[in-house]
Amino acid sequence: MPTKSRTGAARTPPTRELLLDAAERLFGEQGYSATSLRQLTAAAGTNLAAVNYHFGGKQGLCKAVLARRIAPINAERFRRLDRLRRRPGLEAIVRAFLEPPLRATGCAGGVPCTSPAARLCRLFGRISVEQPAFLRDFVAEQFGLIARRFAAEFARLATRPGRGLDRASRWWRMHFVVGAMAHTLQSADSLAALSDGQCNPDDVDQMTEELVAFAVGGLRAAACRRAPPRARGEARR
Amino acid sequence: MPTKSRTGAARTPPTRELLLDAAERLFGEQGYSATSLRQLTAAAGTNLAAVNYHFGGKQGLCKAVLARRIAPINAERFRRLDRLRRRPGLEAIVRAFLEPPLRATGCAGGVPCTSPAARLCRLFGRISVEQPAFLRDFVAEQFGLIARRFAAEFARLATRPGRGLDRASRWWRMHFVVGAMAHTLQSADSLAALSDGQCNPDDVDQMTEELVAFAVGGLRAAACRRAPPRARGEARR
DNA sequence: CAGCACCTGGAACGATCGTTTGAAACGCGC
DNA sequence: GCGCGTTTCAAACGATCGTTCCAGGTGCTG
């Protein structure tokens, strides 16, 4: 952690970064449990013991990988929210939430970006679902703040007359947005296969626009409760 | 060792079922890689070797666990779709897709249902994201049929005048629905914590209604085209 | 009874896991 | 040069992994 080689243009990436990059890729591709430290260090071109030296173990490495990405993304989210404080706009809020993770595809912080949108994305989606017990608190802490902030922004919007979402409904729907995002980040490839190539998982722009439109539409949908929405069919229950 | 003569009456759960139940719970709670066969067989009260005898190995057990649940769910989906063939209705289609997995919470096939909605749900969400390489083809086969069927139903709706979703957009949005569902199934608990208990993950009814409303709203959202309100440059596809 | 197919039991296999160790190699002030 | 903290390396640690083996139990058929 002593930042000493900051001055000279580091021609050789330090071991720490090599490990973080390899871990980010492999954890994202295979998951945390399924990735062994030997495979990881081999991919990083470092020694096996380096993981324990720099990060104290596999769990520490995992936390470091997440922290390196999540922190800037959430900071960017807060920045965007603060900037548009005067103009509510549901879509703007949704974009402030979705675009940073979708677009911060590793090209942001000077980190090499081998595949345009795949790396961080996969890791992100992975972790949000795999959730090993040891970092339950960690992710809760990382995402709790931003989630509450968005809940507050969403609540301010929802108080408009005519939109009758209660607090629980708002939470549910934010959760759905997170799920759509995570699943998209993680397994867009399978969609490409399913759609016979009509969906290009590397087209981050289209993906973003579709997801934003979908999320806004879903968040905007009227409250459901058990009142039949329209005079339409829907003869269930 | 004290093996009471159990067979004969066909009332006692055979080893196969014990293993499937335990695997369903543990794979769902911890993931596939993170669950060891020793932990699993201990929880099931069976011998370690039984896994390899009945299922040929850990992978075979995993496939069997999935197949036992997915097949009836997809059958139910097809049944519902066939039944409402004359009446389109986006919401009805969405319900035909979402309700079987949400409600078939293990109470369907005579399987014990300890926790009302948690068990199968978690497994379902897990697998749809963890996706070990060895069952890539398996899940693609299991979900491919139903996905294409829903895509077809959705496409028939989308041809109505005024709704300009192209094929790629429709695929994307179906993918988002799957993501919202999977994430909800898998980690509704964390939502309960985030929302300070305002969302009850065991309230399958409310969850279903919220998810249906959200999905319908998202699917119904207008095509996004290009040029979001915020000028962000970035050419689209 | 014997014969046999089916299932279960405990014990062990080889492989691989995450982690630790101790010494060698480096960087840098003196 | 020497001393010292930092980093890397090869090798090994004990634990645990999925799997295999085989004797023993069970229920059916004759």
Side-chain angles (χ1 to χ4, degrees):
Chain A
M1 28 235 98
T3 60
K4 55 171 157 186
S5 64
R6 159 179 20 148
T7 55
R11 189 143 293 290
T12 322
T15 303
R16 256 186 78 99
E17 305 299 322
L18 290 175
L19 286 174
L20 286 173
D21 292 339
E24 180 170 290
R25 198 188 81 227
L26 292 176
F27 286 164
E29 288 177 3
Q30 313 174 340
Y32 172 79
S33 302
T35 302
S36 75
L37 287 187
R38 284 172 174 82
Q39 175 192 16
L40 199 154
T41 51
T46 69
N47 190 277
L48 174 60
V51 173
N52 283 273
Y53 175 78
H54 285 286
F55 302 99
K58 191 183 182 184
Q59 298 187 355
L61 172 60
C62 185
K63 286 185 184 177
V65 168
L66 287 176
R68 181 175 68 154
R69 299 299 188 195
I70 294 179
I73 284 179
N74 280 344
E76 169 73 7
R77 283 166 161 171
F78 276 114
R79 226 163 42 82
R80 293 202 186 194
L81 284 181
D82 290 338
R83 204 186 302 163
L84 49 81
R85 203 159 205 170
R86 295 280 163 232
R87 289 173 271 169
L90 176 59
E91 178 176 331
I93 294 179
V94 169
R95 283 187 187 275
F97 183 73
L98 290 179
E99 287 185 351
L102 288 174
R103 297 190 179 272
T105 53
C107 310
V111 187
C113 174
T114 336
S115 104
R119 187 160 312 185
L120 163 68
C121 296
R122 297 207 148 190
L123 172 73
F124 227 73
R126 266 294 169 187
I127 295 302
S128 70
V129 186
E130 189 169 9
Q131 293 220 124
F134 72 91
L135 44 79
R136 265 272 156 77
D137 298 337
F138 179 78
V139 301
E141 173 191 353
Q142 294 280 353
F143 289 113
L145 268 179
I146 193 70
R148 289 175 210 280
R149 171 68 186 270
F150 271 98
E153 298 284 349
F154 188 23
R156 292 201 312 166
L157 282 178
T159 54
R160 281 191 199 166
R163 211 164 298 148
L165 290 187
D166 57 13
R167 300 215 288 202
S169 291
R170 274 182 265 128
W171 276 112
W172 276 115
R173 301 201 181 185
M174 285 184 48
H175 201 239
F176 300 150
V177 173
V178 172
M181 180 194 70
H183 190 239
T184 301
L185 290 176
Q186 204 276 333
S187 54
D189 295 358
S190 66
L191 175 62
L194 256 183
S195 67
D196 290 324
Q198 297 185 31
C199 295
N200 178 15
D202 293 328
D203 188 348
V204 182
D205 289 332
Q206 165 127 25
M207 188 176 78
T208 303
E209 295 308 312
E210 293 291 350
L211 182 52
V212 167
F214 177 85
V216 169
L219 292 173
R220 226 170 225 155
C224 50
R225 260 319 175 197
R226 48 199 59 169
R230 303 277 195 282
R232 284 195 153 260
E234 205 256 336
R236 193 84 207 121
R237 305 167 51 84
Chain B
M1 178 57 71
T3 53
K4 18 191 148 166
S5 59
R6 39 165 166 282
T7 65
R11 222 357 109 169
T12 2
T15 303
R16 255 187 77 99
E17 304 299 322
L18 290 175
L19 287 174
L20 286 174
D21 292 340
E24 180 170 290
R25 198 188 81 227
L26 292 176
F27 286 164
E29 287 177 4
Q30 313 174 341
Y32 172 79
S33 301
T35 301
S36 75
L37 288 187
R38 283 173 176 81
Q39 176 191 16
L40 198 153
T41 51
T46 69
N47 189 276
L48 174 61
V51 174
N52 283 274
Y53 176 78
H54 284 286
F55 303 98
K58 192 183 182 184
Q59 299 187 355
L61 172 59
C62 185
K63 286 185 183 177
V65 168
L66 288 175
R68 181 176 68 155
R69 299 299 188 194
I70 294 179
I73 285 179
N74 280 344
E76 170 73 8
R77 281 166 161 171
F78 275 114
R79 226 163 42 83
R80 293 203 187 195
L81 283 181
D82 290 338
R83 204 186 303 163
L84 49 82
R85 202 157 205 171
R86 295 281 162 233
R87 291 176 274 168
L90 176 60
E91 178 175 331
I93 294 178
V94 169
R95 282 187 188 275
F97 183 74
L98 290 179
E99 286 185 351
L102 288 175
R103 298 191 177 272
T105 54
C107 310
V111 187
C113 175
T114 336
S115 107
R119 188 160 310 185
L120 163 69
C121 296
R122 299 206 145 191
L123 172 72
F124 226 74
R126 270 288 173 191
I127 294 301
S128 70
V129 185
E130 190 169 8
Q131 291 218 124
F134 73 90
L135 44 80
R136 267 273 156 77
D137 298 337
F138 179 78
V139 301
E141 174 190 355
Q142 294 279 352
F143 288 113
L145 267 179
I146 194 72
R148 290 177 209 280
R149 171 68 187 272
F150 272 97
E153 298 284 347
F154 189 23
R156 290 201 313 166
L157 282 178
T159 54
R160 283 190 199 166
R163 212 163 298 147
L165 291 188
D166 56 13
R167 299 215 289 201
S169 292
R170 274 183 264 128
W171 277 112
W172 276 115
R173 301 201 182 186
M174 285 185 47
H175 201 240
F176 300 149
V177 173
V178 172
M181 180 194 70
H183 191 238
T184 301
L185 291 176
Q186 203 277 332
S187 56
D189 295 358
S190 66
L191 175 61
L194 256 184
S195 66
D196 291 322
Q198 297 186 29
C199 294
N200 178 14
D202 293 328
D203 188 349
V204 183
D205 288 333
Q206 166 129 26
M207 188 177 78
T208 302
E209 295 307 311
E210 293 291 349
L211 183 51
V212 167
F214 178 85
V216 170
L219 293 172
R220 225 169 226 157
C224 48
R225 298 289 185 211
R226 71 187 97 160
R230 280 258 158 270
R232 272 198 46 87
E234 290 281 344
R236 52 158 215 110
R237 68 167 219 159

